[in-house]
Amino acid sequence: GAGVSQSPSNKVTEKGKDVELRCDPISGHTALYWYRQSLGQGLEFLIYFQGNSAPDKSGLPSDRFSAERTGGSVSTLTIQRTQQEDSAVYLCASSQHYPRASGTATEAFFGQGTRLTVV
Amino acid sequence: GNSVTQMEGPVTLSEEAFLTINCTYTATGYPSLFWYVQYPGEGLQLLLKATKADDKGSNKGFEATYRKETTSFHLEKGSVQVSDSAVYFCALSGAGTGRRALTFGSGTRLQVQP
């Protein structure tokens, strides 16, 4: 597609259930990012994939969160045993390649996000 | 580690007023700097960027200059419009040994009144 696609756009789940959020990046983009945006807050980094390199998972808030990227394209963010504090908008972004020290500034394109509500 | 600090909002201005949204950063090496904008009901989109010291990014009447000596990247516009009402995020991408994903500030909500 023309842009980053995320599904579902909205998800309401019961506390304790597992959820899967999907991200379809722009074709050919090697870098993929997941962020979380809580109401009225900034963007919290979760995880970053770049090509075949090991992902940067340093932003995942707990071991209930995991993500994978299959075939270097589609990514799935999984939250196990959801808690009410997991309620937020989960944003996915992709870029053509990662920024480098030489001064390359690579634009990241964002999807519309998945609004997760845990009740 | 990398971090970005923005002025808190909301910022409320009248149409045609001058806008400044302050942004300072902490990073290793020489990061690239960005301003992203989120209009109501829409996703984040890039507004402008700068890759090295003294570069000026500009778009849609907005400007920001990469100031390494003050580690700042303040966003300015000479005359705001109602349609500029949105949330603005300053961000950096790490270089060298820093994290390569974007690090965002907390966002500044701009409200422009007619």
Side-chain angles (χ1 to χ4, degrees):
Chain A
V4 177
S5 177
Q6 291 188 245
S7 60
S9 55
N10 280 284
K11 176 72 176 179
V12 180
T13 189
E14 292 181 353
K15 178 180 172 181
K17 300 285 189 182
D18 298 352
V19 295
E20 283 191 354
L21 312 180
R22 177 188 169 101
C23 173
D24 257 299
I26 292 172
S27 178
H29 280 192
T30 58
L32 186 147
Y33 320 75
W34 282 99
Y35 289 86
R36 177 167 72 174
Q37 186 176 27
S38 301
L39 185 62
Q41 302 297 312
L43 276 76
E44 176 188 3
F45 167 74
L46 297 177
I47 188 169
Y48 166 62
F49 296 90
Q50 168 55 34
N52 295 321
S53 302
D56 176 355
K57 302 179 181 181
S58 59
L60 295 178
S62 77
D63 59 8
R64 297 187 294 106
F65 288 72
S66 63
E68 62 178 22
R69 189 178 185 191
T70 54
S73 180
V74 172
S75 177
T76 303
L77 176 69
T78 302
I79 309 173
Q80 296 178 311
R81 306 180 302 282
T82 52
Q83 304 294 313
Q84 288 186 329
E85 60 263 28
D86 299 335
S87 297
V89 176
Y90 288 81
L91 294 169
C92 177
S94 70
S95 64
Q96 196 162 18
H97 56 81
Y98 62 81
R100 295 173 297 180
S102 62
T104 302
T106 302
E107 177 179 357
F109 293 83
F110 282 81
Q112 294 292 321
T114 294
R115 182 176 298 279
L116 175 67
T117 304
V118 181
V119 298
Chain B
N2 297 335
S3 67
V4 176
T5 302
Q6 291 182 234
M7 61 188 289
E8 288 192 20
V11 173
T12 303
L13 295 173
S14 298
E15 207 163 21
E16 299 183 3
F18 184 86
L19 168 71
T20 300
I21 300 178
N22 290 337
C23 170
T24 57
Y25 68 88
T26 302
T28 55
Y30 299 91
S32 295
L33 302 174
F34 305 82
W35 277 100
Y36 278 79
V37 58
Q38 188 173 33
Y39 296 104
E42 298 186 16
L44 273 165
Q45 55 187 277
L46 180 69
L47 179 61
L48 53 83
K49 64 186 179 186
T51 61
K52 59 185 185 294
D54 300 325
D55 265 4
K56 178 184 285 188
S58 61
N59 186 27
K60 299 181 180 180
F62 290 88
E63 293 183 341
T65 301
Y66 188 144
R67 300 288 189 199
K68 190 161 179 64
E69 64 275 13
T70 54
T71 61
S72 66
F73 193 55
H74 304 322
L75 183 68
E76 297 182 336
K77 186 173 185 181
S79 176
V80 294
Q81 305 300 311
V82 173
S83 58
D84 293 327
S85 298
V87 181
Y88 293 82
F89 293 90
C90 186
L92 68 82
S93 63
T97 57
R99 174 187 291 167
R100 298 188 186 280
L102 289 164
T103 299
F104 285 85
S106 57
T108 303
R109 182 175 299 279
L110 170 65
Q111 299 171 333
V112 181
Q113 298 175 336

